[in-house]
Amino acid sequence: MTAPTSPANDVLIIGAGFAGLHMLHQLRSRGYKVRVIEAAGDVGGVWYWNRYPGARCDVESLQYSYSFSSELEQQWVWTERYAAQPEILRYIEHVADRFDLRRDISFNTRVLRACFDETQDQWLLDTDTGLHISARFCVMATGALSIPRLPDIPGIDGFKGKVHHTGAWPHEGVDFSGQRVGVIGTGSSGIQAIPAIAAQAAQLVVFQRTANFVIPAHNGPLHDAEQQAWKQDYALHRERARQLGTLYEFSDKAAAQTSASARQAEYERRWQKGGVNFIHAFNDLMVNPQSNETIADFVRAKIRSIVKDPAVAESLCPNDHPLGTKRICVDTGYFETYNRANVRLVDLKKTPIRQVQAAGVLTSEGLHELDALVCATGYDALTGAVLNIDIHGVDGQSLQEKWANGPRTYLGLMTQGFPNMFIITGAGSPSVLVNMVVGIEHHVAWISDALAYLRQRGMTRMQASREAEDRWVEHVNEAANRTLLPQANSWFLGANIPGKPRVFMPYVARIGVYRQECQDVADQGYAGFVLGTGPAATASSHKF
Ligand code: NA7
C-alpha cells in the first residue's frame, strides 16, 4: 500500500493545563509540528477554572511543580507550603511565557468530534469555532477532574439567586457579604471553600451528604532557608518522587503489630505535621479494615474535640467508609468553622433534600432560605472529559460505546481500536492516586519516546492490542481489589455520577512500579502494541 500523506500537524494536543503544556514543549523541542486546542481563554486547566475562595493544592508546592527544567525549578520561588490557586496559575502562566508556548495554542476552542482516518493514519478534529484540523497523533491532555458536575436536584434551575460550581468559578470573584449562602458538597473543594465563605457571608448553610476524613494542612509561609535547602537537593528529590509519587514519610510498620499507645502517639505526631502524609502512618491502613478503624477512630476523636456542639460533631464524623478510600481532604479551619454562630450544618442523611425552590433549598425538615448556592459537587472524573468528545476510531467505532461498561485501556495510555490516540494520566494509570505532575511528566516522556520510535522506523500507526488491553484491565482490577479502596462510593469508582459504571478507574500501584512496567513494554519494542503503517500494522508480543 502507499504511505499515508503527511497531515497538517504531527500531533494535536487537547488541553493546555499542566499536561498539555509540557507535552507541547517536549514535542516541539523534538522537532514535531504541534497544535494545542484549549476550551478556556488561557492556560492552566483545572487551575484556570477553580477560582473559588480557599482553592489550593494539597500537595506541597515544592513537589507540585515541573522537574523538566532545572533553571525553572531553581528560579521560581513559592511563597507557601501549599500554594493557593492564584499562585499556581501564575506559575503555569510563567511556564507558558518562559517557553513561548501560547503561539501554538488555539484558545476558546472546544473539540467536539475526533475521527480516525484509516486511509491516512490521521485524526480529524472538529471544533465549536468551525476549525477543522488534522494530525497524525492526538494526545488527550484533558485532565482527570475537568468536567464539573451539578447535582441532579429537582428545581435547581428555578433558584432565584446565583448558582456557582466550584470548578467553574467566575473570574471576577463572588462577593458573599451580607448574603445567606448554601454550600452543597463536602469533598476537598467544599472543605476548602466553606471556611472562606463563612468568614464573609451573613449566614452559611452546609448541606452534607457524606462526612469526610479531613486532616489539618498546617499551611504557612515557605521560608527561604527551607526552600533553598530543598532546592539544593532538587535532583535527588525529583528522582525519589519518580519512584514514590510524593515524598511522604512512609512507614514500614503495620498498625496491627503496634501497641495502641504507640499507634496513638504516631497518629498524633502526624496530625501535628499535617497533610495527606497522615495516611502513611502504617503500611497496612489501606488493606486491613481493623487497622483502618484505629486511624478513623483517632480522626473522629479529633472532630469531637474541635466541634463544640456534640450533635454537629457526630454528623461530621465519617462512619460509612474506611479512611483514605475517598480522597482524603486537607483543611485550614474546616471543623472550627462549625463553631461559628453564622454556620449551620444540614445532615442530608437525616434530612434529605427534596428540591430546590426559588427561595432556597427544601429538605425534609423545611426550607432553608438562601441568596446564593455553591455546588462543590465534584466532577465526572477520569473519563468525563475524554467521553465529552465524540470520538470514533477504526471502523467508525465510538469510544462512548466501547467504554459503556467502564474505561478499557492498556497501561492507561491507549485504548484498542483508537490508533494514534494517547491519554495522559487517564483511567488505568495511577493518575489521581499520585502527585499529578509526576504522573504527567512520566506520560509525556513515554509518549515522546514512543513517537520517536515510530518516526525512526517510518511507521505511522500505533495502537493497543486487544489481548494486552484485556490483561491490563484485569491487572488494574486485581490491584484495586487487594485494597480497601473499592469499598467507598467514591469518584474513583464513578459512584458520584448516576448511571456511571462502577469500575475502579485509577491503577493502584506505586508510580515507580508502574514506570517500570511501562519501561519494560517500551524496551520490548512496545510489547502489546500494534505498530506499523495503515491497517497492515502488526502486533508486538507482550508480557502482560
Ligand atoms: P468531590 O470530592 O467529588 O466532592 C463532591 C461532594 O459533593 C461530596 O461531598 C458529595 O457527596 C457531594 N455531592 C455530590 N452530589 C451531591 C448531591 N446531589 N447532593 C448532595 N451532595 C452531593 O469533589 P471535589 O471538587 O470536592 O474534589 C475533587 C478533587 O479535586 C479532590 O479529591 C482533589 O483531588 C481535588 P458524596 O460524597 O458523593 O456523598
Side-chain angles (χ1 to χ4, degrees):
M1 78 173 269
T2 52
T5 54
S6 291
N9 298 280
D10 296 317
V11 186
L12 278 174
I13 299 167
I14 308 179
F18 263 102
L21 293 182
H22 183 32
M23 192 82 246
L24 166 61
H25 178 59
Q26 278 300 304
L27 292 179
R28 212 167 64 181
S29 58
R30 292 186 185 207
Y32 293 94
K33 185 159 188 289
V34 188
R35 186 94 218 139
V36 180
I37 313 287
E38 169 58 60
D42 202 354
V43 297
V46 77
W47 299 107
Y48 175 90
W49 297 107
N50 275 259
R51 301 177 188 232
Y52 61 86
R56 98 180 36 251
C57 189
D58 58 12
V59 176
E60 294 187 33
S61 311
L62 285 161
Q63 300 197 51
Y64 191 80
S65 53
Y66 291 119
S67 74
F68 69 83
S69 160
S70 60
E71 292 81 14
L72 170 67
E73 69 185 5
Q74 289 297 330
Q75 288 166 12
W76 182 265
V77 178
W78 294 103
T79 65
E80 288 182 277
R81 180 177 176 195
Y82 297 100
Q85 175 272 337
E87 186 167 9
I88 300 173
L89 189 58
R90 273 201 304 281
Y91 170 77
I92 302 173
E93 288 169 350
H94 168 79
V95 170
D97 291 340
R98 187 174 183 125
F99 300 101
D100 190 19
L101 298 178
R102 284 192 181 84
R103 69 181 154 91
D104 289 321
I105 307 175
S106 300
F107 292 108
N108 299 307
T109 307
R110 183 174 287 282
V111 177
L112 301 175
R113 192 175 157 88
C115 297
F116 187 66
D117 170 6
E118 294 174 60
T119 64
Q120 299 298 320
D121 281 354
Q122 65 177 350
W123 280 95
L124 306 172
L125 272 62
D126 296 334
T127 69
D128 65 350
T129 61
L131 174 75
H132 304 287
I133 192 159
S134 65
R136 178 80 70 223
F137 299 97
C138 179
V139 179
M140 307 298 290
T142 38
L145 296 160
S146 43
I147 302 293
R149 184 64 207 179
L150 280 171
D152 298 323
I153 301 174
I156 197 160
D157 294 337
F159 179 61
K160 70 172 185 330
K162 284 257 163 52
V163 179
H164 302 290
H165 192 288
T166 44
W169 203 256
H171 284 203
E172 63 280 12
V174 183
D175 185 1
F176 291 118
S177 306
Q179 295 201 4
R180 297 163 303 173
V181 182
V183 174
I184 302 178
T186 51
S188 293
S189 304
I191 278 159
Q192 291 183 337
I194 284 163
I197 296 173
Q200 194 183 52
Q203 287 171 36
L204 173 63
V205 185
V206 177
F207 298 92
Q208 171 192 275
R209 187 163 70 181
T210 306
N212 257 314
F213 291 99
V214 185
I215 312 303
H218 296 314
N219 189 31
L222 194 54
H223 299 295
D224 279 358
E226 191 187 340
Q227 185 147 196
Q228 280 316 317
W230 186 274
K231 286 182 174 178
Q232 266 176 15
D233 291 327
Y234 232 144
L236 190 69
H237 295 316
R238 298 293 199 189
E239 196 40 51
R240 288 188 60 223
R242 285 181 199 114
Q243 296 308 314
L244 300 170
T246 310
L247 299 186
Y248 294 126
E249 191 191 344
F250 295 97
S251 169
D252 55 5
K253 292 194 191 110
Q257 268 127 46
T258 305
S259 71
S261 61
R263 265 197 321 249
Q264 198 71 5
E266 181 60 4
Y267 294 149
E268 183 61 39
R269 186 181 72 80
R270 286 185 180 248
W271 181 270
Q272 295 309 332
K273 217 171 152 184
V276 175
N277 191 34
F278 183 71
I279 186 113
H280 303 290
F282 294 101
N283 65 6
D284 59 342
L285 295 172
M286 293 311 296
V287 291
N288 180 332
Q290 287 79 30
S291 296
N292 194 287
E293 199 55 18
T294 65
I295 195 166
D297 274 345
F298 177 89
V299 175
R300 287 189 281 258
K302 284 289 183 195
I303 296 170
R304 291 182 188 114
S305 75
I306 299 169
V307 179
K308 292 189 179 133
D309 181 328
V312 175
E314 246 11 80
S315 285
L316 288 167
C317 283
N319 54 24
D320 66 353
H321 61 281
L323 184 144
T325 55
K326 281 185 174 231
R327 182 79 152 68
I328 209 158
C329 303
V330 174
D331 79 304
T332 299
Y334 175 65
F335 292 120
E336 291 81 350
T337 300
Y338 293 95
N339 295 332
R340 295 177 64 114
N342 68 335
V343 176
R344 164 133 195 244
L345 179 72
V346 175
D347 184 343
L348 299 180
K349 290 249 155 71
K350 292 183 186 143
T351 56
I353 295 178
R354 297 262 189 260
Q355 59 176 218
V356 176
Q357 299 183 343
V361 173
L362 179 71
T363 68
S364 60
E365 69 174 345
L367 180 67
H368 298 272
E369 290 192 30
L370 301 168
D371 303 308
L373 194 54
V374 173
C375 295
T377 42
Y379 298 86
D380 186 353
L382 285 134
T383 53
V386 175
L387 293 178
N388 216 26
I389 300 169
D390 184 20
I391 301 175
H392 294 265
V394 169
D395 295 333
Q397 186 188 11
S398 120
L399 189 61
Q400 274 112 335
E401 277 169 26
K402 180 179 172 185
W403 285 7
N405 296 320
R408 300 187 70 79
T409 67
Y410 178 37
L411 301 175
L413 280 155
M414 294 193 105
T415 185
Q416 184 271 334
F418 296 80
N420 295 3
M421 189 182 83
F422 296 92
I423 306 168
I424 297 184
T425 59
S429 79
S431 184
V432 289
L433 298 179
V434 300
N435 179 344
M436 288 303 288
V437 188
V438 174
I440 285 167
E441 287 198 330
H442 168 237
H443 273 179
V444 165
W446 194 95
I447 294 167
S448 305
D449 289 348
L451 295 189
Y453 184 92
L454 295 172
R455 182 163 66 174
Q456 281 154 15
R457 286 161 183 76
M459 294 170 166
T460 53
R461 193 187 279 207
M462 173 172 186
Q463 71 163 314
S465 78
R466 185 181 296 277
E467 198 186 354
E469 181 172 288
D470 289 348
R471 287 194 199 198
W472 185 255
V473 169
E474 208 175 301
H475 181 57
V476 169
N477 284 332
E478 283 166 5
N481 289 335
R482 282 195 292 270
T483 71
L484 303 177
L485 279 159
Q487 292 191 11
N489 288 323
S490 68
W491 53 260
F492 297 143
L493 278 153
N496 61 326
I497 306 290
K500 193 166 172 173
R502 194 177 169 98
V503 173
F504 197 87
M505 294 181 282
Y507 173 38
V508 187
R510 201 155 264 191
I511 187 142
V513 171
Y514 171 69
R515 288 175 73 96
Q516 192 57 54
E517 289 172 328
C518 292
Q519 188 58 49
D520 290 346
V521 165
D523 291 347
Q524 293 161 36
Y526 294 90
F529 288 97
V530 182
L531 310 177
T533 296
T538 53
S540 280
S541 63
H542 61 83
K543 287 282 186 274
F544 287 104

